[in-house]
Amino acid sequence: MKRRQFIKSGFGALSTLALGETILLTPNDAQAQFIGYRKKELIGQRKAGRRANGKGRLQNDYTKAKVVKSVCLNCSTVCGIEGYVIDGRLVKIGGNPADPNNGKSLCAKGQSGPTINNYPERLLFPLKRVGKRGEGKWQRITWDEAHGEIAQRIRKAMDDGKPEEVAIQIGRSRIGEEMGRFLNAIGSPSLFNHRALCSSNKRAANYVSLGETDWESGDFARSKYIMNFGANVYEAHQGAIHACKRIIQGRYDNGAKFVYFDVRLSNTAGRADEWFCPNPGSDGAIALAMGNAIMMANKHDAKWLDTWSNVNAADLKEWISRYTPEWAESVSGIKAADIRRVALEFAAAAPAAVAFTNRGSGAHYNGFNNDRAVILLNAIVGSIGKPGGYCYTVEPTRVPPTVFPQPMPRPPAPKARSAIENPPEWPLANKWQRMKVGEIVYQYIKEGRGKIQVFLSYCVASPQTWPEGRTLTVDVLSDEKLIPFHACSDIVYSEQAHWADLILPDATYMERWGFDTRNNMELRDYVTLRQPIVQPPGECKSFADSMIDIAKRIGPATAQYFQFKDHEDWIRQRCGALSKRVNEDGFEYMKKHGVWQDMSKPKYYDLYNWDVPAAELKGTRVDEATQMIYRKGADGRESAVGIMVDGKPRRGFITPTRKFAVYHPDIEAAAKQVGFTEDHQNGMPEYFPIPSISNMKADQLHLVTFKWNVHTQGRTQSQKYLSEIVHHNPMWINTDTATRHGIRSGDMVEITTYRPYGHMMSGGGQVLGRALIPAFVTEGIHPRVLAVSNTLGNPWHGRAANARGGRKQALAAWNDNIADEDQDLVDDLWWDERKGGTGAGYNVNAILPVQPAPLVGMQGWYDTVCSIRKV
């Protein structure tokens, strides 16, 4: 069909698209009419435009604002927020003083929130594909039609006896319990998350070591020594603002030393007392060598290890003796003298000392053991659970079911199984929580490892953020034989939505309900409430409300589990049990305060050493050999409830031995199950080299990615203030390396990437892809490492994301009653290449290979091998 045959064309016409009308949406068409001004003319047009629409930059009168508590979701830190609403419009966001983590503090991402609500390129109505998939031809339909078709297709899969062929793929939903109920109700286990692309090695390391938490809560404010392996906490660490403000407090109040290990001079490295630049993937070697230095100098906490570790001090000392600082120097490039010195400084500050990690250590082939080795350092010096040490809370990412119980009845767990959701090649991926192996989803669909009838995607942009996103991912999303039906819930017209059959216009996080929680840095249980600060525009609807309505439409068997009107009613019912604790209506309490914190218990210091309550000791027995306390359940099976320590019943760690797990039998068994022998896996946190790095040629380099403090994956480029701050992501290259290649800053460089080697990898060494990226020459990066940020290069999401300013298409049809035009997007996108700017950046994920780490399956983002040439 030719464009003239369409009634509407371009994002500018979305707001007035009538029911049944069609529209063409493609990122390659001009999305704005460019206005090329000389400087004086530009200034005049800005003034004239703002006078004409009568909406110049006026100062808001916040005395007239209604303040609404809620929770940010511009990243995974989930800070408590306050929204200021004037005349029904959200004009400002600040931190919620009642939130124990961030309080009044809020980063740039949080404060840019209103630009999401008011973005003129927002999707406003349900759309149904009317041309070929990926052609960009859509028809406006009703919600009744959209939900009806989804329900009908799900019902067919259930009738076929294939409920697992209904799948939901998410990026960051924060409505996990609602999604779980929906999928359980239809009998499907197929929830594909992005945890393996984010932090599964780190989480698994914590579960192995501590047994009951996936994320530590370093007691930084009380610490005297803070050692950081690859957690860019001043910019993009999960919980960054929470941890950062406490690290600063610890450094100023206690004189805490801050030592950082990373391959790049990030803002975190620049603010450290000492920055070390190790070889990629060698973090575990450094940590083990530090443990060696501490134990050989007899500066370890032998009593703590003998009491609370499942490997006693003498045996651990013998095992770690092989990992000397001199050996680690040969692996990491860090001098043995520095490794030994920092280790002994760390031990001297203990127990007010904490060593922690994130993607810099974990996003590797050997990242699981890297992170285990760093956690072990805390055990060696006895800082686990101590003030100023490596602390943790109980189930920090779960809403406490006793305080906020789910409405009954609840659906049973699915009996169906999915090889895509739980691939046997990675037996530890779902061992402790459903972390999945998200990067292999598209490959497994392509190979027929599991079939899909209904594919629902939410808050995800996999063509941009997945490895091989623009090739493998798009190939599968575009193939109607592999994915017969795809419905995408999104806020803007994303690359994910472009390959869908139905588009469901989503509400932003400031327009919907939900509970949220995270590890509380103040070491208490807490829950925050996400409530609508403003109402969504057009016909936008929260995906949670969509799931509720769809479930009711499928049939009585599913509807019985959704006996509440909508998502708000779900939240209201769950707040009922809170009423007795707060002596008022629990729902109104949460709306008013935005947060509940359990002050009835002490902080979670020394949690493993807490007494076992007398009620839990009734009917128990003590095993003489292990001193573990067992109680028999109604089914006749025994379960551990604690461990005897010095003749007293203690809670212990929630591990198989109720002790801190240096050795873990499940790891040894998993390695044998899949034949993983590269590290002679024996259940200990051994160091082993990364095959792709070991096979590097002399002229090859490492390619790593990183996150900016103002961007989150592919979701924030449409926010004009954030893209104004960071819109350019050149390739960082070391000065000496650049000189050898004749490269200067600004030169265009062709990067060629290669397929990885290793366990479960096919082949290795073949060319994967190529990209052209400008160079940024700096001494602040490892000589064999290149770095490109991973959040830019988005040709979708509208003008702010594309850096393509000008008037919107079909501006005459624009309806300011639904969504205002934004004069900034018309003439203030100064980084538009047509105005001499740098443009919208580069998408490096497209040339990064899918490379899951063994056993756990986390994506090896930092193991990519490449070569370069100046263009």
Side-chain angles (χ1 to χ4, degrees), residues 123 133-134 138 168-171 442 455-466 469-470 473-474 477-478 483 486-490 492-503 794 796-797:
L123 295 166
R133 186 181 290 177
W138 303 93
I168 298 180
Q169 184 185 42
I170 60 171
Y442 293 103
F455 190 72
L456 307 176
S457 61
Y458 173 68
C459 200
V460 64
S462 52
Q464 184 186 2
T465 59
W466 253 238
R470 295 270 162 79
T473 299
V474 169
L477 287 175
S478 62
I483 299 180
H486 172 199
C488 174
S489 175
D490 214 329
V492 294
Y493 190 68
S494 64
E495 196 165 358
Q496 187 87 12
H498 184 69
W499 297 106
D501 303 305
L502 279 182
I503 299 178
N794 190 350
W796 312 74
H797 288 208

Side-chain angles (χ1 to χ4, degrees), residues 76-185:
S76 64
T77 299
V78 295
C79 294
I81 58 175
E82 294 181 331
Y84 293 79
V85 181
I86 299 176
D87 296 330
R89 189 180 183 91
L90 177 60
V91 297
K92 178 179 171 56
I93 290 179
N96 181 0
D99 190 289
N101 272 329
N102 65 290
K104 292 183 179 181
S105 302
L106 202 63
C107 73
K109 282 186 288 190
Q111 294 183 41
S112 81
T115 65
I116 312 172
N117 293 45
N118 304 331
Y119 193 44
E121 276 87 349
R122 280 192 66 174
L123 295 166
L124 298 169
F125 312 106
L127 301 174
K128 181 175 181 177
R129 174 172 64 89
V130 293
K132 294 180 180 179
R133 186 181 290 177
E135 202 172 22
K137 298 172 183 176
W138 303 93
Q139 181 182 54
R140 179 182 167 185
I141 61 174
T142 65
W143 276 109
D144 185 66
E145 291 174 292
H147 288 171
E149 180 168 357
I150 296 171
Q152 182 181 8
R153 289 178 178 271
I154 292 176
R155 188 184 304 115
K156 180 183 181 302
M158 295 171 67
D159 292 343
D160 291 345
K162 300 289 184 181
E164 72 278 6
E165 294 182 5
V166 178
I168 298 180
Q169 184 185 42
I170 60 171
R172 183 166 288 120
S173 76
R174 312 309 298 173
I175 48 173
E177 291 176 319
E178 293 87 330
M179 282 190 176
R181 177 175 285 243
F182 178 81
L183 286 172
N184 288 351

Side-chain angles (χ1 to χ4, degrees), residues 738 741-744 747-751 772 868-871:
H741 287 82
I743 295 171
R744 296 182 178 182
D747 287 346
M748 294 302 294
V749 177
E750 181 185 69
I751 304 176
L772 291 176
I868 59 172
R869 72 176 182 90
K870 179 182 175 182
V871 178

Side-chain angles (χ1 to χ4, degrees), residues 14 54 77 80 93 96 128 139 156 164 252 254-255 271 279 329 359 387 392 463 508 532 535 573 597 668 732 828 867:
L14 278 172
T77 299
I93 290 179
N96 181 0
K128 181 175 181 177
Q139 181 182 54
K156 180 183 181 302
E164 72 278 6
Y252 280 89
N254 310 327
R271 284 157 178 76
N279 294 329
E329 179 177 347
R359 283 176 59 156
Y392 61 98
T508 71
Q535 293 303 306
Q573 289 189 34
Q597 188 174 194
E668 186 174 18
W732 291 38
D828 282 353
S867 58

Side-chain angles (χ1 to χ4, degrees), residues 696-749:
M696 282 177 62
K697 299 176 182 177
D699 62 340
Q700 290 181 326
L701 301 166
H702 309 272
L703 175 61
V704 305
T705 60
F706 64 93
K707 298 180 180 181
W708 292 107
N709 61 333
V710 296
H711 281 300
T712 302
Q713 299 166 331
R715 295 191 289 118
T716 50
Q717 261 195 288
S718 58
Q719 297 175 42
K720 61 183 181 182
Y721 297 138
L722 300 184
S723 282
E724 182 172 29
I725 296 170
V726 173
H727 46 263
H728 186 48
N729 58 335
M731 177 196 77
W732 291 38
I733 183 171
N734 182 270
T735 304
D736 292 340
T737 310
T739 300
R740 287 199 305 272
H741 287 82
I743 295 171
R744 296 182 178 182
S745 287
D747 287 346
M748 294 302 294
V749 177

Side-chain angles (χ1 to χ4, degrees), residues 109-363:
K109 282 186 288 190
Q111 294 183 41
S112 81
T115 65
I116 312 172
N117 293 45
N118 304 331
Y119 193 44
E121 276 87 349
R122 280 192 66 174
L123 295 166
L124 298 169
F125 312 106
L127 301 174
K128 181 175 181 177
R129 174 172 64 89
V130 293
K132 294 180 180 179
R133 186 181 290 177
E135 202 172 22
K137 298 172 183 176
W138 303 93
Q139 181 182 54
R140 179 182 167 185
I141 61 174
T142 65
W143 276 109
D144 185 66
E145 291 174 292
H147 288 171
E149 180 168 357
I150 296 171
Q152 182 181 8
R153 289 178 178 271
I154 292 176
R155 188 184 304 115
K156 180 183 181 302
M158 295 171 67
D159 292 343
D160 291 345
K162 300 289 184 181
E164 72 278 6
E165 294 182 5
V166 178
I168 298 180
Q169 184 185 42
I170 60 171
R172 183 166 288 120
S173 76
R174 312 309 298 173
I175 48 173
E177 291 176 319
E178 293 87 330
M179 282 190 176
R181 177 175 285 243
F182 178 81
L183 286 172
N184 288 351
I186 65 178
S188 174
S190 301
L191 177 65
F192 305 148
N193 66 21
H194 82 301
R195 187 141 289 169
L197 287 90
C198 180
S199 56
S200 59
N201 272 341
K202 176 181 178 66
R203 295 172 188 271
N206 269 317
Y207 271 119
V208 164
S209 304
L210 306 173
E212 61 185 316
T213 185
D214 65 349
W215 210 272
E216 77 283 351
S217 303
D219 197 24
F220 303 118
R222 299 165 186 81
S223 187
K224 295 180 180 178
Y225 208 100
I226 302 166
M227 194 150 52
N228 178 351
F229 290 82
N232 190 5
V233 71
Y234 276 76
E235 294 185 89
H237 179 69
Q238 181 171 294
I241 195 169
H242 309 163
C244 182
K245 63 188 292 186
R246 288 166 173 81
I247 289 174
I248 293 170
Q249 183 180 346
R251 296 177 75 184
Y252 280 89
D253 290 354
N254 310 327
K257 186 172 183 177
F258 183 45
V259 179
Y260 188 48
F261 294 85
D262 200 0
V263 298
R264 185 180 67 91
L265 184 61
S266 64
N267 279 318
T268 303
R271 284 157 178 76
D273 294 297
E274 290 192 71
W275 167 52
F276 293 98
C277 189
N279 294 329
S282 64
D283 306 79
I286 296 169
L288 290 172
M290 286 185 171
N292 171 291
I294 292 168
M295 298 198 80
M296 297 309 148
N298 292 317
K299 299 299 182 181
H300 58 289
D301 192 332
K303 182 178 180 181
W304 193 95
L305 290 170
D306 288 342
T307 304
W308 290 113
S309 171
N310 70 348
V311 176
N312 64 39
D315 290 345
L316 184 59
K317 187 174 184 179
E318 180 180 354
W319 173 80
I320 210 169
S321 62
R322 78 193 80 168
Y323 292 119
T324 66
E326 287 70 25
W327 163 83
E329 179 177 347
S330 69
V331 173
S332 68
I334 304 301
K335 293 180 180 179
D338 286 329
I339 293 174
R340 187 172 279 108
R341 173 181 57 80
V342 170
L344 295 179
E345 289 175 358
F346 180 76
V354 55
F356 70 109
T357 67
N358 206 351
R359 283 176 59 156
S361 61

Side-chain angles (χ1 to χ4, degrees), residues 501-527:
D501 303 305
L502 279 182
I503 299 178
L504 312 180
D506 192 24
T508 71
Y509 66 82
M510 291 156 289
E511 299 165 350
R512 67 174 177 88
W513 294 93
F515 285 125
D516 222 327
T517 188
R518 188 55 82 190
N519 52 312
N520 184 352
M521 304 298 287
E522 295 305 314
L523 304 178
R524 299 184 188 276
D525 296 336
Y526 90 118
V527 174

